[in-house]
Amino acid sequence: MPKENVGDTRTIRVLVVDDHPAVRQGLALLLEPEGIMVCAEAESRAQALDRLRGHTPDLALVDLSLGEDDGLPLITELSRSGLPCLVYSMHEDGRHVENAFSAGARGYVRRREVHRVLVDAIAEVAAGRRFVSPRAAAALADQVALGPEERCLEGLSSQEKQVYQLLGEGDTTKAIAASLNISTRTVESYYTRILVKLGLEGMGELRRHAILHLRKPES
């Protein structure tokens, strides 16, 4: 017999959006005994939106990485349509948690949590409440504790951070390319991305920003 849901005995209908078939199937098997039915599955943004035409889920369980798709725009679209979204993701850093809520998610659960956490999260979000799993809450707290500048740098990829650090150390474009074993054109493309992410204008400002950041004393 299905277990009673928190504060509600009716079956909760869920749209699962994940690009891995094994994950979707596993979730269906895991949730069914808890009185939660996977009423539809999708592996991409387009498929998820299409599934809504023939189904009426109570919420969407969405991964942030959907193959070539980014889950955040989908979360925004689904949320605007009135469908609550719960993120179920392997991403463990606070930046992803923060971005998910900014996009409109009502909850966030890391995949490393025990299955009871996911079940409780689905019940809470279906009831109109927010939910943050313990691991996600800890990551979010760490993210909030960062200063504005550090939070900006958290948005850089690992390769972009390497370029940024070498630039701050005074390396030329050719030297950075040699250190990272990439072309100078690739280094220049990283400059462009970093400028956009940090909201800076021009290489002079970027270099000064990197030098000042590296000179800051550690707390």
Side-chain angles (χ1 to χ4, degrees), residues 132-193:
V132 186
S133 72
R135 291 179 182 273
L140 187 59
D142 289 340
Q143 175 75 0
V144 172
L146 294 173
E149 186 170 282
E150 285 73 18
R151 295 179 76 181
C152 286
L153 296 182
E154 281 293 304
L156 302 182
S157 68
S158 58
Q159 193 84 323
E160 289 165 353
K161 286 179 181 178
Q162 286 182 298
V163 171
Y164 178 87
Q165 181 173 346
L166 292 172
L167 191 65
E169 292 173 357
D171 285 9
T172 64
T173 299
K174 287 185 178 180
I176 294 173
S179 296
L180 301 180
N181 196 29
I182 56 180
S183 69
T184 55
R185 180 169 293 182
T186 300
V187 174
E188 290 168 353
S189 71
Y190 282 126
Y191 290 159
T192 301
R193 296 179 202 172

Side-chain angles (χ1 to χ4, degrees), residues 197-209:
K197 290 183 177 181
L198 297 185
L200 303 176
E201 296 183 9
M203 282 304 301
E205 188 174 355
L206 174 56
R207 188 178 291 277
R208 286 192 298 273
H209 189 280

